[in-house]
């Protein structure tokens, strides 16, 4: 998948190819949503069981989906399905990274039992429309990474066929803080009958708030610790900017001192990230590196480049994982906050 990204800067392929951090907003638009992806707002009137109705939800494209009852035949992007699972809402089908090569659950599947869902596609541009139709889908739910409301992991070539089978709902993770996307997923799950008063759910939200405060205090106590968000492929190393990614925007708001690519360097990717050859991976000075943990990205243990191994943060063992596409439940975002806080608390100044 890294080769696909290297070969062409498609606006949707940039993030999917396992690299850094999203779609280039400056690249050509091709979405099928309507309305402003940043406006959204909740207009949901869901009931807590599928026999009740009607159901409606206004998504982050400004599109309102209305059904006669709360949908139960739900198909979702894997990460969205994982978030809904944490709130007690089960889906019938998923698309997106679900199984690893050894058959285990992908990191983006969270705590879902992947043996109990129909996998319509496991990689970029893969979506079995015929199998999708057999599920009698009532709604398709995914995220969007741009202002156009483009449906994440819905292939461009088959999006019109897919759209005819069921309405879609999109939750935006574009150019906003993580908390805004978490709130929208909460509202969506609640409308779908999720048990938002369950102890595991309310406790997760409290843990998220505590972890956020811990990160805020860590960043304040160690303002000199510079953090770089990176992603690796065999050919290139990608340094993320923080102005578009929901998690990085939130971490920055909490005070984390991030390495920022120059605006000139980010132009080819619409502001998402800077591409570096491995010979130039030492361009930016960092004390802590947070690395893309998706299965489509090369993981730190598998990087053999000498220049990488010589980085001060790498030599100091100050490299941790980052969910570049966070599962939008409070439970799944807590570890990200806690691990970054701990890394900053313990980091030695090496840059």
């Amino acid at each position: 998948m890294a080769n696909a990204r290297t070969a062409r800067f498609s606006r949707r392929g940039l993030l999917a190819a396992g690299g850094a951090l999203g779609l280039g907003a400056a690249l050509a638009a091709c979405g099928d949503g309507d309305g402003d992806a940043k406006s959204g707002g909740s207009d949901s009137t869901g009931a807590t069981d599928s026999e009740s109705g009607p159901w409606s939800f206004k998504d982050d494209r400004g599109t309102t989906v209305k059904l006669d009852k709360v949908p139960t035949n739900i198909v979702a992007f894997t990460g969205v399905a994982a978030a809904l699972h944490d709130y007690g809402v089960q889906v019938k089908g998923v698309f997106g990274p679900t199984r690893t090569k050894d058959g285990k659950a992908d990191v983006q599947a969270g705590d879902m039992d992947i043996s109990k869902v129909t996998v319509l596609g496991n990689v970029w541009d893969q979506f079995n429309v015929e199998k999708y139709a057999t599920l009698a889908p009532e709604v398709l739910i995914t995220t969007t990474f741009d202002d156009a409301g483009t449906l994440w992991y819905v292939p461009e070539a088959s999006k019109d066929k897919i759209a005819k089978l069921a309405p879609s709902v999109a939750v935006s993770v574009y150019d906003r803080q993580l908390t805004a996307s978490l709130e929208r997923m909460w509202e969506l799950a609640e409308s779908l009958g999720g048990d938002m008063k369950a102890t595991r759910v309310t406790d997760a939200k409290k843990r998220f708030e505590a972890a956020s405060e811990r990160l805020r205090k860590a960043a304040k106590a160690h303002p000199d610790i510079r953090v770089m968000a990176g992603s690796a492929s065999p050919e290139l190393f990608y340094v993320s900017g923080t102005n578009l990614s929901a998690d990085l925007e939130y971490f920055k708001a909490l005070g984390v001192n991030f390495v920022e690519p120059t605006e000139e360097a980010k132009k080819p990717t619409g502001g998402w990230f800077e591409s570096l050859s491995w010979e130039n991976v030492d361009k930016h000075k960092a004390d802590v590196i947070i690395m893309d943990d998706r299965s489509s990205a090369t993981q730190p243990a598998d990087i053999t480049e000498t220049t990488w191994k010589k980085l001060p943060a790498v030599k100091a063992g100050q490299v941790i994982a980052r969910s570049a596409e966070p599962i939008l439940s409070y439970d799944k975002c807590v570890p990200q906050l806690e691990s970054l806080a701990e890394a900053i608390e313990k980091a030695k100044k090496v840059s």
Side-chain angles (χ1 to χ4, degrees), residues 51-74:
E51 300 304 316
S52 302
W55 178 84
S56 68
F57 191 84
K58 184 177 181 180
D59 75 359
D60 289 335
R61 298 169 299 174
T63 299
T64 299
V65 175
K66 297 181 179 181
L67 299 173
D68 292 337
K69 64 182 180 67
V70 178
T72 55
N73 286 5
I74 301 169

Side-chain angles (χ1 to χ4, degrees), residues 4-23:
R5 177 183 49 202
T6 308
R8 60 185 178 88
F9 276 129
S10 74
R11 77 192 287 276
R12 285 155 51 87
L14 291 173
L15 178 54
L21 305 146
L23 301 169

Side-chain angles (χ1 to χ4, degrees), residues 255-271:
V256 176
N257 179 14
F258 277 103
V259 169
E260 295 284 0
T262 63
E263 291 305 312
E264 190 66 27
K266 291 189 294 183
K267 279 184 179 179
T269 62

